[in-house]
Amino acid sequence: MIRNSRTASRATRPASWVRTRLRAMPSAAVLAAVLAFAAVFLSAALPRALDRGADQALRGFLGGKSPSQTSVLVSGNSSNGVGVAEDLDRILRLLTARTGGDLGLAASGPVHGTLGDKPRTLSTPGLAAPDDVPPQLSLLHLREGEGHIKMVAGRWPGGAATEGPVPIALSQRASQAMNAPLGTVLQTEADGPQAPDTDRAVVVGLYTADDEADPVWTGLPCMTRACTGYTVGKEPRSYWHAGALVGAQDLARAAAWGKGGTDFWRLPIDTGRLRADRLSDATRQITSYVSGSTAAELLGASGRLDLTIVSPLPGLLGEAEQRQQAAAPVGVSGPAGVAGVVFVVLCLAAALAGERREFELRLLLARGASRAGLVRRLLAEGAVTALPAALVAMTLAFALLPTPRLLPSLTTALAATLLAWLAFPVRALVLLAPPRPRNRWRRPVGELLVLLVTGAAISEVRGRGIAQAGADVDPLLVAAPLLIALCGGLLLARLLPLLVALPARMAARGRGVIGFLGLARASRGDGGRSRTPVLPLVALLLAVTTGGFWTTVLNAAEDARLSATRVSVAADAQIVAPPGQTLPTDLVKAADKVAGVRSSVSLWTSDDAFVDAPASQFTTQVSVVVVEPKAYAALSKGANIGPFDPGLLAGKGNGTADSPLPVLFSTGLAKLAPGGTLRLRLGDGQLQVTSRGTVDGTPVRPGAVGATVIVPAGPATAAIALTRQPNHWYALGDPPEDKLKVLVRSLVPAAHANEFRVRTSAGMADELAADPLQAAAVRLFKTSVIGAAGFALLAVLLSLVRAAPERAALLARMRTMGLRPRQGMLLMLTESLPQAVAAALGGALTATAAVLLLGPAVDLSTLVGAPVADGLRFSAQPVLVQALGLAALVAVAVLAEAAVSGRRQITTELRAGDQR
């Protein structure tokens, strides 16, 4: 009996609300979960992707610097120290004890030792002496030296000997280049007739470096091979310079060899531990170590008040922070656009759910349910679908994109979760509210407020420009395109019925009823409403405007980058000889024939020239360019750098006082130089010249401010020996940089091939574009554009679904009157496509307006990698690509929805009791 009563009690207990609703509408529950998952995943992933991109850009920026630039450098006069290696180790322990946190040491470890201040010139007979200049040698004791070399002959320069020549270990490559084999006694040009032992060294060992690129050799004087040096003068001559290692007992003798010595400690900082969001903290810590309280403690503890602590890192970190903040608008704009579209889609989904269930909720309210009780049940219903999906999305985003910083992504993910969960209950609360008198001014006032805010934002951005480099992300520059898109959506919602009404009237005069009926319904609004829905239009315009505006920014940056590199290269390609050398004739002829070269010119240029007036005290140093006028004029015109008329240099002057040579002055020099005949001094020769015009810069020396003289090549200049062979080659076209480098390596002596500079504008543009900061910002932006387009398409689909029941019922009823299936699909397309086409065109217009209104305030310098004076200019291509691409996607979605709706059965739509 008891068992039967319990069974009856369970049988009469009402079923759970959540379980009943989920079983009744499983597809709606799955759709809500998928929408919540997508929204939360993007909200959690984009901030983490932004952090990862910024960190990778920072490490890439610092990773491209030399170890000396990313280290803390400590130095002191060796005469103030104890003079023993153990004292160097003691101070190193003090220095490393105060590192940690953001100031961690790199895995390569610290480097320390004693270096002679000056190299000594060697006078030993038989040493190799290019250009008859004797070699030079520097001595160094490196505490880490033995661990990074391999002795191939002889021994390490250790021992207790304190008399005789200084024992040294020389790199095998330097020994071969200088012709100083094992056992060679290296003598110097001593000041007195009897040279002391410290003026002689003996090679007791030869070594090879384990890795010549090892950071331990950075900043040290030619320790792995002999380097080429050049004398100073009118005709630089080359000589060999090498460094050699000494043992720990010869610290004082190494200092005596160098006429003084310097104790040094280099602490390489682990840049891989630095984070973009903690750059300010890292800068403060390093600054304190260099010149703050930490530095004062180190000086006191070491007992060496002569120690100097310097580091380029604070400046590099400041530059990195400025670059990061300047590029941040591009990186933030994409996620901001996605956030706007996601917000619209979630609101639209809530509106759709509210309309579908409004009758059900009002029925329950009429049967005694309370508004609060219904909202609680809707909250529980949403918690079962939205919260698990959001949790899975956050977990997946955190797992796929690990970053140290958690708060930004967690904040945005929670915001998206709350919106996905609360949107429908809030909408239901509004629907179930007691009816109030309709306020006809509510919508116009809200739209006017949006318009005023947008106008104020645009005016502020145009008036003051974007925020200064190094400041926080400029919210106005990021929000202004979104506000413009919002205004465009509101305006389009007002104008669309009027725009569609005109073709509807024209269709009414025709015979067919399909076109008129579809356009009439499009002008009236979906689902029987009297106005066009705003949210789908806003979603589409947000996606098109954001994508079109910032794609225009990226395309403009690419064009400006190519222009900047052409100015830097002075053409599309260049080959430049090192100082004191010229280009071989065979190299010039071969380079002219490289595929892709449209035109070329070879010339001679030097900065060591002077212009003066013999009759006055005027004289100034100038850069002189000796060229063939017609070829150089074509180069200047093609590169758009200081174009000039070659006829100005076509005079018959021979460079004498009676017949001065016609030349061109740069604008800056023309303002300084007196008129008449002037004297141009080139090395040991001179020419009488007269200015026939001015140029605003020239490819070899861009800029009108500098003092430059363009001289025509001919018999007058050929009389000066140093101008007969060119030292520069320039070309227009698209020659491959690698082929030019192969030519240089094959036609230039191997000893000097690496000193010739080969560059192309395309190669430099690729290098600038490969900057990690730009790549991270562009990658995140493109991902965001795809996400925004996807959600905008989802908004269109939701609007179609929103109107589907009423449209399907209409089609079913009209089929009973003879409407064919193909005509039904045409009716749906005629009704749906005007909104999609209008949204695409409206998005193109709003993107164009954003470019025109905000373009002058956009700074492209950071994205270009070089200074750009002009702001953003309008380009139709990126705007049209975004608008037409999204319009095509929307058209495909409309066709798919029309095909699905066309298969609905008439009996299903005409069932009894249909409330639609």
Side-chain angles (χ1 to χ4, degrees):
M1 189 70 178
I2 297 177
R3 180 178 302 176
N4 293 336
S5 63
R6 290 179 179 177
T7 304
S9 176
R10 283 196 299 266
T12 58
R13 184 180 302 168
S16 170
W17 168 280
V18 175
R19 184 180 62 189
T20 303
R21 291 306 309 164
L22 293 181
R23 286 182 174 180
M25 302 184 66
S27 58
V30 171
L31 178 61
V34 170
L35 189 58
F37 176 87
V40 175
F41 180 79
L42 280 179
S43 301
L46 288 178
R48 298 179 75 81
L50 187 62
D51 280 352
R52 287 169 60 88
D55 289 342
Q56 291 172 2
L58 172 64
R59 291 159 190 164
F61 172 71
L62 296 177
K65 307 299 179 182
S66 67
S68 296
Q69 292 178 291
T70 57
S71 299
V72 175
L73 308 174
V74 185
S75 61
N77 195 320
S78 61
S79 62
N80 295 328
V82 179
V84 296
E86 288 73 14
D87 189 57
L88 298 177
D89 298 338
R90 178 185 65 85
I91 296 179
L92 177 64
R93 288 192 293 270
L94 290 174
L95 294 173
T96 55
R98 286 165 173 78
T99 60
D102 293 323
L103 200 62
L105 296 182
S108 59
V111 178
H112 67 302
T114 300
L115 171 67
D117 289 341
K118 297 179 181 179
R120 300 291 294 275
T121 301
L122 303 179
S123 59
T124 304
L127 295 181
D131 297 338
D132 296 326
V133 179
Q136 294 184 358
L137 183 69
S138 299
L139 296 189
L140 162 73
H141 172 64
L142 184 64
R143 296 295 289 161
E144 292 77 17
E146 285 188 86
H148 295 270
I149 63 173
K150 177 183 179 182
M151 299 301 300
V152 295
R155 62 179 178 84
W156 174 258
T162 58
E163 297 180 357
V166 181
I168 63 172
L170 193 65
S171 70
Q172 187 178 41
R173 294 182 61 184
S175 172
Q176 295 170 352
M178 296 170 58
N179 193 25
L182 188 69
T184 302
V185 177
L186 303 175
Q187 300 176 352
T188 65
E189 299 174 346
D191 296 334
Q194 179 121 14
D197 290 339
T198 53
D199 288 334
R200 293 183 299 153
V202 58
V203 180
V204 300
L206 299 178
Y207 67 84
T208 58
D210 294 338
D211 181 8
E212 293 190 7
D214 195 314
V216 72
W217 308 115
T218 301
L220 301 181
C222 306
M223 302 304 299
T224 61
R225 59 183 176 85
C227 304
T228 303
Y230 293 94
T231 61
V232 179
K234 295 180 180 179
E235 297 184 7
R237 295 185 296 168
S238 62
Y239 62 89
W240 290 117
H241 178 215
L245 294 171
V246 302
Q249 77 285 351
D250 291 318
L251 290 177
R253 305 177 77 188
W257 173 281
K259 303 299 183 182
T262 300
D263 296 335
F264 66 90
W265 299 263
R266 175 159 55 85
L267 308 178
I269 303 304
D270 185 6
T271 57
R273 297 173 59 176
L274 298 177
R275 288 168 42 185
D277 61 300
R278 296 176 55 181
L279 278 180
S280 300
D281 295 338
T283 303
R284 282 193 296 269
Q285 187 175 355
I286 297 174
T287 302
S288 175
Y289 195 98
V290 171
S291 59
S293 59
T294 305
E297 294 175 5
L298 286 171
L299 294 180
S302 65
R304 294 279 298 271
L305 298 181
D306 65 306
L307 293 183
T308 300
I309 306 176
V310 297
S311 177
L313 261 178
L316 289 177
L317 295 183
E319 181 183 353
E321 189 170 13
Q322 290 181 352
R323 287 159 48 86
Q324 175 187 331
Q325 295 294 349
V330 177
V332 174
S333 63
V338 174
V341 179
V342 168
F343 179 81
V344 170
V345 169
L346 291 177
C347 291
L348 188 60
L352 174 62
E355 291 175 4
R356 283 293 183 89
R357 298 181 59 180
E358 182 178 2
F359 178 78
E360 168 200 342
L361 296 177
R362 290 194 179 278
L363 179 61
L364 292 173
L365 191 65
R367 291 182 174 181
S370 65
R371 292 176 59 202
L374 289 177
V375 170
R376 284 196 301 270
R377 284 172 170 79
L378 294 178
L379 287 173
E381 181 182 332
V384 174
T385 55
L387 295 186
L391 182 60
V392 173
M394 280 192 285
T395 303
L396 185 61
F398 292 168
L400 293 178
L401 299 170
T403 57
R405 202 159 59 137
L406 181 64
L407 184 59
S409 57
L410 186 60
T411 302
T412 54
L414 289 178
T417 300
L418 290 177
L419 181 61
W421 181 27
L422 301 179
F424 175 52
V426 171
R427 175 61 178 167
L429 188 64
V430 174
L431 287 175
L432 299 179
R436 293 180 298 176
R438 184 176 179 181
N439 188 350
R440 57 179 299 185
W441 295 103
R442 182 182 305 165
R443 182 178 177 184
V445 169
E447 293 173 347
L448 181 61
L449 181 61
V450 172
L451 182 62
L452 292 176
V453 172
T454 304
I458 295 173
S459 176
E460 180 69 13
V461 171
R462 289 177 61 90
R464 64 163 173 79
I466 63 173
Q468 296 289 330
D472 292 333
V473 176
D474 190 345
L476 286 181
L477 187 61
V478 175
L482 303 180
L483 291 173
I484 293 175
L486 179 58
C487 287
L490 296 176
L491 181 62
L492 186 60
R494 290 282 190 179
L495 296 179
L496 187 59
L498 300 178
L499 297 176
V500 180
L502 180 60
R505 291 194 189 97
M506 297 176 61
R509 301 189 184 122
R511 290 178 135 185
V513 71
I514 301 300
F516 167 71
L517 183 59
L519 292 173
R521 287 174 55 80
S523 65
R524 187 184 63 178
D526 65 355
R529 291 164 186 78
S530 60
R531 64 188 183 191
T532 302
V534 178
L535 292 179
L537 292 176
V538 171
L540 287 170
L541 264 66
L542 282 174
V544 174
T545 304
T546 304
F549 177 77
W550 291 105
T551 302
T552 303
V553 171
L554 297 180
N555 287 4
E558 185 175 351
D559 294 340
R561 188 182 298 117
L562 186 58
S563 299
T565 54
R566 293 193 79 188
V567 172
S568 178
V569 176
D572 291 323
Q574 69 168 211
I575 302 177
V576 178
Q581 298 190 41
T582 58
L583 299 176
T585 303
D586 294 341
L587 174 61
V588 174
K589 293 180 179 179
D592 290 340
K593 298 178 181 179
V594 171
V597 174
R598 293 198 310 268
S599 62
S600 64
V601 57
S602 55
L603 54 90
W604 182 87
T605 182
S606 173
D607 296 329
D608 192 18
F610 296 87
V611 165
D612 53 31
S616 68
Q617 299 296 321
F618 167 79
T619 184
T620 185
Q621 186 172 0
V622 299
S623 297
V624 64
V625 184
V626 180
V627 296
E628 196 287 313
K630 291 185 179 179
Y632 194 65
L635 174 69
S636 301
K637 181 179 179 181
N640 195 26
I641 306 173
F644 65 93
D645 181 7
L648 297 174
L649 300 177
K652 298 181 180 180
N654 55 16
T656 64
D658 297 332
S659 180
L661 190 67
V663 298
L664 297 178
F665 282 178
S666 63
T667 305
L669 179 60
K671 295 178 180 178
L672 298 175
T677 301
L678 301 175
R679 180 171 57 199
L680 175 64
R681 290 185 280 126
L682 301 172
D684 296 331
Q686 62 181 25
L687 296 170
Q688 301 296 323
V689 299
T690 181
S691 176
R692 291 291 181 83
T694 60
V695 291
D696 293 330
T698 187
V700 180
R701 298 290 184 271
V705 178
T708 305
V709 181
I710 300 178
V711 181
T717 55
I720 303 174
L722 54 85
T723 66
R724 293 175 184 172
Q725 280 292 110
N727 55 11
H728 286 61
W729 177 87
Y730 296 96
L732 296 175
D734 190 21
E737 185 173 330
D738 55 347
K739 290 187 177 180
L740 295 177
K741 290 182 177 179
V742 169
L743 281 180
V744 171
R745 288 194 296 268
S746 60
L747 299 176
V748 174
H752 303 290
N754 291 332
E755 300 170 9
F756 281 69
R757 186 176 67 208
V758 179
R759 294 192 301 179
T760 62
S761 58
M764 287 189 65
D766 292 340
E767 291 177 4
L768 292 175
D771 179 78
L773 183 67
Q774 303 173 29
V778 172
R779 185 169 56 249
L780 180 61
F781 168 73
K782 290 182 177 180
T783 303
S784 301
V785 167
I786 295 174
F791 273 93
L793 185 62
L794 182 59
V796 173
L797 292 175
L798 288 176
S799 66
L800 294 175
V801 172
R802 187 181 187 183
E806 193 267 345
R807 186 190 302 119
L810 172 67
L811 290 175
R813 290 163 185 153
M814 293 191 66
R815 282 191 188 181
T816 62
M817 295 183 285
L819 184 72
R820 294 190 298 271
R822 182 175 299 178
Q823 291 177 318
M825 182 174 295
L826 182 61
L827 174 62
M828 287 186 287
L829 292 177
T830 307
E831 177 184 348
S832 303
L833 283 180
Q835 178 179 334
V837 174
L841 295 177
L845 292 177
T846 53
T848 301
V851 173
L852 296 178
L853 293 174
L854 304 175
V858 177
D859 184 9
L860 297 174
S861 300
T862 301
L863 288 176
V864 171
V868 178
D870 298 333
L872 181 64
R873 296 180 180 178
F874 173 71
S875 177
Q877 179 183 1
V879 174
L880 291 178
V881 167
Q882 296 288 328
L884 296 179
L886 198 55
L889 289 177
V890 171
V892 171
V894 171
L895 286 171
E897 199 276 338
V900 172
S901 298
R903 294 192 180 97
R904 295 181 182 273
Q905 297 296 325
I906 296 178
T907 55
T908 302
E909 299 300 333
L910 295 179
R911 65 184 181 272
D914 193 347
Q915 298 295 328
R916 291 170 294 188

